[in-house]
Amino acid sequence: GGRPVERWNRLDPGEQLIGVSGVLLLFVSFLPWLGGRITSLTIQGRTFPTTQYHFSHAASGYAVTFLAVVLGLLALSLVGLKLAGVPLTGWPGGLTEGRLLVSLGGVAFLLVLAKLVTGATVDPASFSLPSTAGLALQIAFVETRAFGVYAGLLTTAGLAVGGVLVLRGERETGHRQPQ
């Protein structure tokens, strides 16, 4: 029971960090994350520089980052249930809230990190162009990384750290009892 602020204050710092990080992850998931642009076109040996052709996708544009956002929303949902007064106990096989939260946050972070490192696939098809193989046309591409992917990395790191804090709290106090 109690007012929302009172219930929020009853959450431990790890759960609060997951709450804030999860909400921020949801918002930044709609921003541009990764993309590419054409830097030049070479037609029969003559190069034309250009920055006119580019694309960028939000987190939902890539399976890996979309899955990371879904995992983040699952972690946020668990904290939301706790905030609503639903006890998170009785997990099977020794699973605890902390173990689940650190797993969700950690995997989400690793997925975003992997996509940040690998970047977007940038080829003629990315721009709805046919293959240039065998043609006197060459297209130079560059991958782009936008603010969204860095914000996604930061917010999923917050989820993982929040999970670690919840797990640490469980180890210090023994497994959690319903509140």
Side-chain angles (χ1 to χ4, degrees):
R3 295 187 355 235
V5 172
E6 292 170 0
R7 289 196 305 259
W8 174 259
N9 289 335
R10 274 191 246 141
L11 294 176
D12 70 33
E15 292 164 334
Q16 290 177 346
L17 180 56
I18 290 168
V20 170
S21 297
V23 168
L24 289 174
L25 176 61
L26 177 61
F27 283 113
V28 302
S29 71
F30 295 102
L31 297 175
W33 281 43
L34 298 164
R37 65 182 162 83
I38 295 176
T39 56
S40 67
L41 301 171
T42 304
I43 303 169
Q44 296 181 346
R46 188 163 172 215
T47 300
F48 303 92
T50 180
T51 57
Q52 182 176 353
Y53 305 102
H54 56 85
F55 74 94
S56 187
H57 295 294
S60 61
Y62 306 95
V64 170
T65 51
F66 179 73
L67 180 58
V69 171
V70 169
L71 294 175
L73 293 177
L74 284 172
L76 177 61
S77 298
L78 288 173
V79 171
L81 287 171
K82 182 114 188 237
L83 194 57
V86 177
L88 301 177
T89 59
W91 299 99
L95 185 63
T96 65
E97 178 190 355
R99 288 178 181 162
L100 183 57
L101 289 171
V102 79
S103 298
L104 290 171
V107 170
F109 175 78
L110 291 174
L111 290 172
V112 174
L113 179 62
K115 194 62 183 171
L116 173 65
V117 170
T118 61
T121 300
V122 182
D123 58 21
S126 304
F127 298 91
S128 300
L129 297 172
S131 171
T132 58
L135 300 178
L137 168 68
Q138 296 167 344
I139 303 173
F141 305 102
V142 65
E143 294 175 0
T144 59
R145 289 165 176 81
F147 173 77
V149 73
Y150 297 106
L153 189 67
L154 186 62
T155 55
T156 55
L159 294 172
V161 169
V164 169
L165 293 174
V166 171
L167 188 60
R168 185 180 293 164
E170 286 177 351
R171 289 187 175 151
E172 289 172 0
T173 61
H175 291 306
R176 293 235 168 131
Q177 299 304 316
Q179 295 179 353

PDB file of all heavy atoms in Angstrom, residues 112-141:
ATOM      1  N   VAL A 112      23.593  -5.322 -26.789  1.00  0.00           N
ATOM      2  CA  VAL A 112      23.803  -3.968 -27.323  1.00  0.00           C
ATOM      3  C   VAL A 112      25.291  -3.735 -27.605  1.00  0.00           C
ATOM      4  O   VAL A 112      25.648  -3.172 -28.643  1.00  0.00           O
ATOM      5  CB  VAL A 112      23.236  -2.893 -26.366  1.00  0.00           C
ATOM      6  CG1 VAL A 112      23.597  -1.487 -26.848  1.00  0.00           C
ATOM      7  CG2 VAL A 112      21.725  -3.035 -26.245  1.00  0.00           C
ATOM      8  N   LEU A 113      26.152  -4.194 -26.704  1.00  0.00           N
ATOM      9  CA  LEU A 113      27.595  -4.051 -26.916  1.00  0.00           C
ATOM     10  C   LEU A 113      28.031  -4.767 -28.198  1.00  0.00           C
ATOM     11  O   LEU A 113      28.793  -4.200 -28.998  1.00  0.00           O
ATOM     12  CB  LEU A 113      28.371  -4.596 -25.710  1.00  0.00           C
ATOM     13  CG  LEU A 113      29.897  -4.520 -25.803  1.00  0.00           C
ATOM     14  CD1 LEU A 113      30.361  -3.070 -25.900  1.00  0.00           C
ATOM     15  CD2 LEU A 113      30.536  -5.214 -24.608  1.00  0.00           C
ATOM     16  N   ALA A 114      27.542  -5.985 -28.407  1.00  0.00           N
ATOM     17  CA  ALA A 114      27.906  -6.738 -29.614  1.00  0.00           C
ATOM     18  C   ALA A 114      27.458  -5.995 -30.876  1.00  0.00           C
ATOM     19  O   ALA A 114      28.206  -5.913 -31.852  1.00  0.00           O
ATOM     20  CB  ALA A 114      27.287  -8.132 -29.566  1.00  0.00           C
ATOM     21  N   LYS A 115      26.252  -5.429 -30.864  1.00  0.00           N
ATOM     22  CA  LYS A 115      25.765  -4.722 -32.045  1.00  0.00           C
ATOM     23  C   LYS A 115      26.508  -3.394 -32.237  1.00  0.00           C
ATOM     24  O   LYS A 115      26.756  -2.994 -33.364  1.00  0.00           O
ATOM     25  CB  LYS A 115      24.250  -4.492 -31.947  1.00  0.00           C
ATOM     26  CG  LYS A 115      23.631  -4.071 -33.250  1.00  0.00           C
ATOM     27  CD  LYS A 115      23.799  -5.150 -34.334  1.00  0.00           C
ATOM     28  CE  LYS A 115      23.249  -4.703 -35.665  1.00  0.00           C
ATOM     29  NZ  LYS A 115      23.574  -5.620 -36.750  1.00  0.00           N
ATOM     30  N   LEU A 116      26.882  -2.755 -31.135  1.00  0.00           N
ATOM     31  CA  LEU A 116      27.679  -1.530 -31.237  1.00  0.00           C
ATOM     32  C   LEU A 116      29.012  -1.826 -31.922  1.00  0.00           C
ATOM     33  O   LEU A 116      29.460  -1.090 -32.791  1.00  0.00           O
ATOM     34  CB  LEU A 116      27.914  -0.921 -29.851  1.00  0.00           C
ATOM     35  CG  LEU A 116      28.866   0.276 -29.786  1.00  0.00           C
ATOM     36  CD1 LEU A 116      28.303   1.468 -30.544  1.00  0.00           C
ATOM     37  CD2 LEU A 116      29.164   0.657 -28.352  1.00  0.00           C
ATOM     38  N   VAL A 117      29.627  -2.947 -31.543  1.00  0.00           N
ATOM     39  CA  VAL A 117      30.926  -3.318 -32.114  1.00  0.00           C
ATOM     40  C   VAL A 117      30.781  -3.722 -33.579  1.00  0.00           C
ATOM     41  O   VAL A 117      31.552  -3.281 -34.430  1.00  0.00           O
ATOM     42  CB  VAL A 117      31.575  -4.457 -31.287  1.00  0.00           C
ATOM     43  CG1 VAL A 117      32.788  -5.023 -31.994  1.00  0.00           C
ATOM     44  CG2 VAL A 117      31.949  -3.944 -29.891  1.00  0.00           C
ATOM     45  N   THR A 118      29.778  -4.541 -33.894  1.00  0.00           N
ATOM     46  CA  THR A 118      29.638  -5.041 -35.265  1.00  0.00           C
ATOM     47  C   THR A 118      29.012  -4.017 -36.191  1.00  0.00           C
ATOM     48  O   THR A 118      29.286  -4.021 -37.389  1.00  0.00           O
ATOM     49  CB  THR A 118      28.805  -6.334 -35.324  1.00  0.00           C
ATOM     50  OG1 THR A 118      27.490  -6.076 -34.816  1.00  0.00           O
ATOM     51  CG2 THR A 118      29.459  -7.451 -34.538  1.00  0.00           C
ATOM     52  N   GLY A 119      28.170  -3.132 -35.669  1.00  0.00           N
ATOM     53  CA  GLY A 119      27.539  -2.102 -36.490  1.00  0.00           C
ATOM     54  C   GLY A 119      26.454  -2.661 -37.387  1.00  0.00           C
ATOM     55  O   GLY A 119      26.117  -3.838 -37.338  1.00  0.00           O
ATOM     56  N   ALA A 120      25.928  -1.796 -38.213  1.00  0.00           N
ATOM     57  CA  ALA A 120      24.874  -2.172 -39.153  1.00  0.00           C
ATOM     58  C   ALA A 120      25.490  -2.843 -40.372  1.00  0.00           C
ATOM     59  O   ALA A 120      26.642  -2.616 -40.701  1.00  0.00           O
ATOM     60  CB  ALA A 120      24.098  -0.933 -39.587  1.00  0.00           C
ATOM     61  N   THR A 121      24.700  -3.660 -41.032  1.00  0.00           N
ATOM     62  CA  THR A 121      25.119  -4.202 -42.318  1.00  0.00           C
ATOM     63  C   THR A 121      24.872  -3.114 -43.356  1.00  0.00           C
ATOM     64  O   THR A 121      23.752  -2.620 -43.483  1.00  0.00           O
ATOM     65  CB  THR A 121      24.293  -5.452 -42.667  1.00  0.00           C
ATOM     66  OG1 THR A 121      24.493  -6.421 -41.643  1.00  0.00           O
ATOM     67  CG2 THR A 121      24.710  -6.024 -44.007  1.00  0.00           C
ATOM     68  N   VAL A 122      25.937  -2.719 -44.032  1.00  0.00           N
ATOM     69  CA  VAL A 122      25.815  -1.637 -45.017  1.00  0.00           C
ATOM     70  C   VAL A 122      26.291  -2.175 -46.368  1.00  0.00           C
ATOM     71  O   VAL A 122      27.453  -2.519 -46.526  1.00  0.00           O
ATOM     72  CB  VAL A 122      26.636  -0.400 -44.604  1.00  0.00           C
ATOM     73  CG1 VAL A 122      26.460   0.719 -45.604  1.00  0.00           C
ATOM     74  CG2 VAL A 122      26.227   0.069 -43.214  1.00  0.00           C
ATOM     75  N   ASP A 123      25.361  -2.277 -47.298  1.00  0.00           N
ATOM     76  CA  ASP A 123      25.652  -2.736 -48.653  1.00  0.00           C
ATOM     77  C   ASP A 123      24.620  -2.108 -49.592  1.00  0.00           C
ATOM     78  O   ASP A 123      23.730  -1.400 -49.128  1.00  0.00           O
ATOM     79  CB  ASP A 123      25.646  -4.269 -48.723  1.00  0.00           C
ATOM     80  CG  ASP A 123      24.334  -4.889 -48.274  1.00  0.00           C
ATOM     81  OD1 ASP A 123      23.289  -4.200 -48.277  1.00  0.00           O
ATOM     82  OD2 ASP A 123      24.333  -6.077 -47.936  1.00  0.00           O
ATOM     83  N   PRO A 124      24.729  -2.336 -50.891  1.00  0.00           N
ATOM     84  CA  PRO A 124      23.747  -1.704 -51.788  1.00  0.00           C
ATOM     85  C   PRO A 124      22.283  -1.999 -51.407  1.00  0.00           C
ATOM     86  O   PRO A 124      21.429  -1.118 -51.508  1.00  0.00           O
ATOM     87  CB  PRO A 124      24.096  -2.291 -53.158  1.00  0.00           C
ATOM     88  CG  PRO A 124      25.554  -2.576 -53.070  1.00  0.00           C
ATOM     89  CD  PRO A 124      25.771  -3.029 -51.649  1.00  0.00           C
ATOM     90  N   ALA A 125      22.017  -3.214 -50.947  1.00  0.00           N
ATOM     91  CA  ALA A 125      20.643  -3.574 -50.577  1.00  0.00           C
ATOM     92  C   ALA A 125      20.133  -2.717 -49.417  1.00  0.00           C
ATOM     93  O   ALA A 125      18.931  -2.462 -49.314  1.00  0.00           O
ATOM     94  CB  ALA A 125      20.566  -5.053 -50.217  1.00  0.00           C
ATOM     95  N   SER A 126      21.028  -2.242 -48.552  1.00  0.00           N
ATOM     96  CA  SER A 126      20.637  -1.377 -47.433  1.00  0.00           C
ATOM     97  C   SER A 126      19.969  -0.105 -47.934  1.00  0.00           C
ATOM     98  O   SER A 126      19.165   0.505 -47.244  1.00  0.00           O
ATOM     99  CB  SER A 126      21.849  -0.977 -46.592  1.00  0.00           C
ATOM    100  OG  SER A 126      22.539  -2.107 -46.131  1.00  0.00           O
ATOM    101  N   PHE A 127      20.329   0.307 -49.141  1.00  0.00           N
ATOM    102  CA  PHE A 127      19.786   1.527 -49.737  1.00  0.00           C
ATOM    103  C   PHE A 127      18.765   1.212 -50.832  1.00  0.00           C
ATOM    104  O   PHE A 127      18.460   2.044 -51.665  1.00  0.00           O
ATOM    105  CB  PHE A 127      20.925   2.373 -50.328  1.00  0.00           C
ATOM    106  CG  PHE A 127      21.914   2.828 -49.302  1.00  0.00           C
ATOM    107  CD1 PHE A 127      23.041   2.076 -49.012  1.00  0.00           C
ATOM    108  CD2 PHE A 127      21.712   4.012 -48.596  1.00  0.00           C
ATOM    109  CE1 PHE A 127      23.951   2.495 -48.057  1.00  0.00           C
ATOM    110  CE2 PHE A 127      22.616   4.428 -47.637  1.00  0.00           C
ATOM    111  CZ  PHE A 127      23.732   3.669 -47.363  1.00  0.00           C
ATOM    112  N   SER A 128      18.300  -0.036 -50.857  1.00  0.00           N
ATOM    113  CA  SER A 128      17.365  -0.519 -51.887  1.00  0.00           C
ATOM    114  C   SER A 128      17.953  -0.401 -53.286  1.00  0.00           C
ATOM    115  O   SER A 128      17.246  -0.101 -54.246  1.00  0.00           O
ATOM    116  CB  SER A 128      16.021   0.221 -51.800  1.00  0.00           C
ATOM    117  OG  SER A 128      15.440   0.023 -50.539  1.00  0.00           O
ATOM    118  N   LEU A 129      19.251  -0.636 -53.391  1.00  0.00           N
ATOM    119  CA  LEU A 129      19.937  -0.600 -54.682  1.00  0.00           C
ATOM    120  C   LEU A 129      20.278  -2.025 -55.111  1.00  0.00           C
ATOM    121  O   LEU A 129      20.525  -2.881 -54.264  1.00  0.00           O
ATOM    122  CB  LEU A 129      21.233   0.220 -54.582  1.00  0.00           C
ATOM    123  CG  LEU A 129      21.090   1.696 -54.225  1.00  0.00           C
ATOM    124  CD1 LEU A 129      22.464   2.305 -53.963  1.00  0.00           C
ATOM    125  CD2 LEU A 129      20.376   2.440 -55.350  1.00  0.00           C
ATOM    126  N   PRO A 130      20.334  -2.289 -56.409  1.00  0.00           N
ATOM    127  CA  PRO A 130      20.764  -3.613 -56.865  1.00  0.00           C
ATOM    128  C   PRO A 130      22.269  -3.788 -56.632  1.00  0.00           C
ATOM    129  O   PRO A 130      22.983  -2.813 -56.411  1.00  0.00           O
ATOM    130  CB  PRO A 130      20.440  -3.597 -58.357  1.00  0.00           C
ATOM    131  CG  PRO A 130      20.453  -2.152 -58.733  1.00  0.00           C
ATOM    132  CD  PRO A 130      19.999  -1.398 -57.502  1.00  0.00           C
ATOM    133  N   SER A 131      22.721  -4.998 -56.690  1.00  0.00           N
ATOM    134  CA  SER A 131      24.149  -5.269 -56.550  1.00  0.00           C
ATOM    135  C   SER A 131      24.920  -4.559 -57.652  1.00  0.00           C
ATOM    136  O   SER A 131      24.469  -4.465 -58.790  1.00  0.00           O
ATOM    137  CB  SER A 131      24.406  -6.771 -56.629  1.00  0.00           C
ATOM    138  OG  SER A 131      25.794  -7.016 -56.700  1.00  0.00           O
ATOM    139  N   THR A 132      26.096  -4.051 -57.316  1.00  0.00           N
ATOM    140  CA  THR A 132      26.933  -3.359 -58.301  1.00  0.00           C
ATOM    141  C   THR A 132      28.001  -4.286 -58.876  1.00  0.00           C
ATOM    142  O   THR A 132      28.857  -3.836 -59.627  1.00  0.00           O
ATOM    143  CB  THR A 132      27.607  -2.129 -57.661  1.00  0.00           C
ATOM    144  OG1 THR A 132      28.392  -2.562 -56.548  1.00  0.00           O
ATOM    145  CG2 THR A 132      26.584  -1.103 -57.231  1.00  0.00           C
ATOM    146  N   ALA A 133      27.938  -5.577 -58.538  1.00  0.00           N
ATOM    147  CA  ALA A 133      28.943  -6.531 -59.025  1.00  0.00           C
ATOM    148  C   ALA A 133      28.931  -6.560 -60.555  1.00  0.00           C
ATOM    149  O   ALA A 133      27.875  -6.653 -61.175  1.00  0.00           O
ATOM    150  CB  ALA A 133      28.664  -7.917 -58.470  1.00  0.00           C
ATOM    151  N   GLY A 134      30.100  -6.445 -61.153  1.00  0.00           N
ATOM    152  CA  GLY A 134      30.233  -6.509 -62.600  1.00  0.00           C
ATOM    153  C   GLY A 134      29.874  -5.216 -63.321  1.00  0.00           C
ATOM    154  O   GLY A 134      29.899  -5.164 -64.553  1.00  0.00           O
ATOM    155  N   LEU A 135      29.520  -4.180 -62.592  1.00  0.00           N
ATOM    156  CA  LEU A 135      29.172  -2.903 -63.215  1.00  0.00           C
ATOM    157  C   LEU A 135      30.348  -1.937 -63.123  1.00  0.00           C
ATOM    158  O   LEU A 135      31.250  -2.117 -62.316  1.00  0.00           O
ATOM    159  CB  LEU A 135      27.956  -2.272 -62.522  1.00  0.00           C
ATOM    160  CG  LEU A 135      26.655  -3.064 -62.529  1.00  0.00           C
ATOM    161  CD1 LEU A 135      25.578  -2.302 -61.759  1.00  0.00           C
ATOM    162  CD2 LEU A 135      26.191  -3.310 -63.959  1.00  0.00           C
ATOM    163  N   ALA A 136      30.298  -0.907 -63.908  1.00  0.00           N
ATOM    164  CA  ALA A 136      31.331   0.129 -63.859  1.00  0.00           C
ATOM    165  C   ALA A 136      30.996   1.147 -62.772  1.00  0.00           C
ATOM    166  O   ALA A 136      31.469   2.273 -62.795  1.00  0.00           O
ATOM    167  CB  ALA A 136      31.450   0.809 -65.216  1.00  0.00           C
ATOM    168  N   LEU A 137      30.169   0.739 -61.842  1.00  0.00           N
ATOM    169  CA  LEU A 137      29.737   1.613 -60.742  1.00  0.00           C
ATOM    170  C   LEU A 137      30.233   1.012 -59.433  1.00  0.00           C
ATOM    171  O   LEU A 137      30.065  -0.173 -59.185  1.00  0.00           O
ATOM    172  CB  LEU A 137      28.197   1.687 -60.720  1.00  0.00           C
ATOM    173  CG  LEU A 137      27.556   2.312 -59.486  1.00  0.00           C
ATOM    174  CD1 LEU A 137      27.874   3.800 -59.419  1.00  0.00           C
ATOM    175  CD2 LEU A 137      26.058   2.093 -59.509  1.00  0.00           C
ATOM    176  N   GLN A 138      30.877   1.830 -58.643  1.00  0.00           N
ATOM    177  CA  GLN A 138      31.310   1.400 -57.313  1.00  0.00           C
ATOM    178  C   GLN A 138      30.755   2.385 -56.306  1.00  0.00           C
ATOM    179  O   GLN A 138      30.732   3.593 -56.544  1.00  0.00           O
ATOM    180  CB  GLN A 138      32.830   1.342 -57.221  1.00  0.00           C
ATOM    181  CG  GLN A 138      33.422   0.295 -58.145  1.00  0.00           C
ATOM    182  CD  GLN A 138      34.923   0.453 -58.278  1.00  0.00           C
ATOM    183  OE1 GLN A 138      35.486   1.484 -57.940  1.00  0.00           O
ATOM    184  NE2 GLN A 138      35.567  -0.581 -58.784  1.00  0.00           N
ATOM    185  N   ILE A 139      30.309   1.840 -55.180  1.00  0.00           N
ATOM    186  CA  ILE A 139      29.717   2.671 -54.136  1.00  0.00           C
ATOM    187  C   ILE A 139      30.519   2.463 -52.862  1.00  0.00           C
ATOM    188  O   ILE A 139      30.733   1.326 -52.444  1.00  0.00           O
ATOM    189  CB  ILE A 139      28.231   2.289 -53.905  1.00  0.00           C
ATOM    190  CG1 ILE A 139      27.440   2.408 -55.212  1.00  0.00           C
ATOM    191  CG2 ILE A 139      27.625   3.164 -52.818  1.00  0.00           C
ATOM    192  CD1 ILE A 139      26.019   1.892 -55.111  1.00  0.00           C
ATOM    193  N   ALA A 140      30.974   3.556 -52.272  1.00  0.00           N
ATOM    194  CA  ALA A 140      31.704   3.479 -51.006  1.00  0.00           C
ATOM    195  C   ALA A 140      30.723   3.784 -49.861  1.00  0.00           C
ATOM    196  O   ALA A 140      29.981   4.762 -49.913  1.00  0.00           O
ATOM    197  CB  ALA A 140      32.854   4.474 -50.989  1.00  0.00           C
ATOM    198  N   PHE A 141      30.725   2.920 -48.860  1.00  0.00           N
ATOM    199  CA  PHE A 141      29.814   3.038 -47.722  1.00  0.00           C
ATOM    200  C   PHE A 141      30.597   3.244 -46.441  1.00  0.00           C
ATOM    201  O   PHE A 141      31.756   2.869 -46.349  1.00  0.00           O
ATOM    202  CB  PHE A 141      29.014   1.743 -47.522  1.00  0.00           C
ATOM    203  CG  PHE A 141      28.257   1.292 -48.718  1.00  0.00           C
ATOM    204  CD1 PHE A 141      28.729   0.263 -49.507  1.00  0.00           C
ATOM    205  CD2 PHE A 141      27.042   1.882 -49.046  1.00  0.00           C
ATOM    206  CE1 PHE A 141      28.013  -0.171 -50.603  1.00  0.00           C
ATOM    207  CE2 PHE A 141      26.327   1.457 -50.137  1.00  0.00           C
ATOM    208  CZ  PHE A 141      26.807   0.425 -50.922  1.00  0.00           C
TER     209      PHE A 141
END
